[in-house]
Amino acid sequence: MALTGRSEDELSPGATGATKAGRAKRTSLAAAVALGALAWWVPEAAVGALLVFVLLMLVMHWPRGRGAARGRAPAADGGQSIWPARGMKAVVEALQEPGFIVDRAMLLRYRNPASLVAFGNMALGDPISLRFRSPELLGTIEGAIASLQPAYAMLDERRPERTWQVEIVAIPPHQGERPHFFLILFRDRTAELQIERMRTDFVANASHELRTPLASLTGFIETLQGPARNDAAARERFLQIMREQAARMSRLIDDLLSLSRIEMKRHVPIAATADLVAVLNKVRSHLTPLAAELGMTIDFSTPEGAFVVAGDEDELIQVFSNLVENACKYGESGKRVEMELSRTSERGEPVINASVRDFGPGIPAEHVPRLTERFYRVDVGSSRAKHGTGLGLSIVRNILLRHRSRLLVVSRIGEGSVFTARFPDPRRTSVQS
C-alpha cells in the first residue's frame, strides 16, 4: 500500500457534484413546465408565475463556492487535507519503531503506538518542537521539508539515557503533487553504541594493563645491560621485580582468556549438576594457605542435606575462589571470611543463596553497581598491589549468567561486604507440586 497525501474521501465529491447538477436541471425543467402550464390556464397569474420561476432559479443556481469556502476552516497546502489518509495511518501504525507524521509547518498530524511508549503522549496539531528540543534534530527536519530529500540525525536523550537515529522522508503525494506530509522514524541505537563503547574501553584498558609491565620489563632489561651490568645486588633486585611484572602479565592474560572462553559459551545450556557444599569445601581447602599468610581464617559451617544446583563444578569453584580471594585480600582487616548456604524464596520461587562475607572496611555505595565491569577497581593502587587484574568479578558475573544466576552485593562502610550468588532451586517443581 502506497503512502499518499490524498484521502479516500476525496474521490467522492466529483461524483456527488455531477449527481447534484443533474438533479438541479431536472428540477428546473419541472418548475418551468408547471409554471408555464399555470400561466396558460390562468392568464392573470402569468406575471406571478414568472417571478416565482426567476426566484427559484436564483436560489438553485446561485454560485456557492465563495460561501462554502468562507464557512470552512482554511486547509493547509493549497486546499489539501491537513490530516493524513487512513491508509497512510495504517502503514505507520504497523511500524514497530516510533513514527510521526508531520506537515510542512512541522505540526504533528499522526503518531503510532510505539511512539507513545517511547516519548509519551503528544497532542495532535502541536508543533513537534514542544517535545524535541534538539536544535540539530529540528534543523534537520526543516532541511528535509525544504529540500524534499531524505535526511538523518542523531538524538541523545538523558532521561532515560537513549540514543536514537532519526530518519526524515517525504511521503509521496497523489499524482506527483508537492508532498504534504513527512514521516519521522526513530530507531533505537542505544544498545549498539553501548556495545561499541564497551569494546573500545576493553581494548584500551587491556592495552594499558599490558603496556605498564612491559615498559617496566624493558626498563630493567636496559638497566641490567648498562649501568647495573656488574652489580650483583642490583641484578638480583631487578630480576625479582621483573619476575613479578611477568607474573602480572601472565595473570592478566589468563584472566582475559578465561573471560573470553566463558563469554563464548555463556548461552550454552548446562546439563550437569553440582553440590554447592562440596564446591565451598574445596574452595576453603584451596585458599586456606592464602588466608593463613594474611592472618585470616575461612569459616564454613557445613549445612545439613545437599544443596544441588544445575551447574559446572569447575566453573563454580572459580566463582567462589574469586569471591573468597577478594574477601581475604580486601577485607584483611576483618581477620575472617564466612561462607554460608541457605534456602529462601524470591517472588514466590525457591532459591539457594551462597554467600561470602568479609568484615573489612566495606565498599562505598557509588562503586557497588560497577564492580562487575571489566577492569573496574575501587582503588587502583590497592588492587595492583594485591595482584588484582580487575577482571575477577566480571568473570564471576558471566559464569553466573550462564548458570541463570545472579550476584547480589551488600556493603556497609566499616562493617564489611556480603557477595551472594543466588541460584534457582532445582527442587522448586516438587516444592510447588
Side-chain angles (χ1 to χ4, degrees), residues 319-336:
V319 166
F320 293 103
S321 293
N322 273 325
L323 294 178
V324 173
E325 185 175 350
N326 285 346
C328 290
K329 290 179 179 179
Y330 303 107
E332 183 179 355
S333 59
K335 300 301 180 183
R336 77 180 193 276

Side-chain angles (χ1 to χ4, degrees), residues 85-151:
R86 289 190 295 271
M88 187 188 306
K89 294 179 181 179
V91 173
V92 177
E93 187 169 352
L95 297 174
Q96 299 301 308
E97 298 168 318
F100 299 93
I101 296 177
V102 299
D103 60 16
R104 294 180 192 170
M106 296 174 61
L107 301 180
L108 180 62
R109 294 305 177 188
Y110 184 71
R111 50 176 171 73
N112 65 3
S115 68
L116 182 65
V117 175
F119 301 110
N121 192 20
M122 298 171 60
L124 299 181
D126 282 351
I128 61 169
S129 57
L130 294 179
R131 172 60 178 81
F132 302 106
R133 303 301 179 95
S134 168
E136 178 186 357
L137 174 61
L138 297 176
T140 303
I141 297 174
E142 289 180 357
I145 293 175
S147 65
L148 304 181
Q149 297 297 319

Side-chain angles (χ1 to χ4, degrees), residues 122-276:
M122 298 171 60
L124 299 181
D126 282 351
I128 61 169
S129 57
L130 294 179
R131 172 60 178 81
F132 302 106
R133 303 301 179 95
S134 168
E136 178 186 357
L137 174 61
L138 297 176
T140 303
I141 297 174
E142 289 180 357
I145 293 175
S147 65
L148 304 181
Q149 297 297 319
Y152 298 87
M154 299 300 293
L155 174 66
D156 294 315
E157 293 203 318
R158 296 182 179 180
R159 296 181 181 177
E161 186 175 350
R162 284 185 180 178
T163 301
W164 301 92
Q165 182 186 37
V166 188
E167 180 179 5
I168 305 99
V169 294
I171 298 176
H174 181 67
Q175 295 181 350
E177 299 174 355
R178 182 178 177 84
H180 313 295
F181 300 106
F182 298 81
L183 174 64
I184 304 177
L185 189 61
F186 290 76
R187 293 186 175 91
D188 194 347
R189 295 289 184 257
T190 307
E192 297 175 16
L193 293 176
Q194 286 179 345
I195 292 173
E196 184 62 31
R197 193 179 302 117
M198 288 174 59
R199 184 182 297 111
T200 303
D201 292 344
F202 175 76
V203 172
N205 286 320
S207 301
H208 175 75
E209 293 292 335
L210 287 171
R211 188 184 299 114
T212 302
L214 278 174
S216 180
L217 286 173
T218 302
F220 285 123
I221 290 173
E222 292 175 352
T223 303
L224 289 174
Q225 289 177 335
R229 180 190 304 271
N230 299 317
D231 189 339
R235 183 170 62 248
E236 186 66 27
R237 186 172 68 256
F238 290 163
L239 287 174
Q240 177 62 30
I241 297 175
M242 291 169 65
R243 181 178 180 180
E244 293 175 356
Q245 295 299 319
R248 174 183 170 185
M249 283 195 299
S250 178
R251 288 192 301 270
L252 178 60
I253 292 172
D254 288 343
D255 281 352
L256 286 172
L257 292 175
S258 178
L259 183 58
S260 178
R261 285 194 301 268
I262 292 167
E263 288 183 335
M264 287 178 62
K265 62 179 182 180
R266 193 170 72 183
H267 302 292
V268 178
I270 298 176
T273 59
D275 186 354
L276 293 179

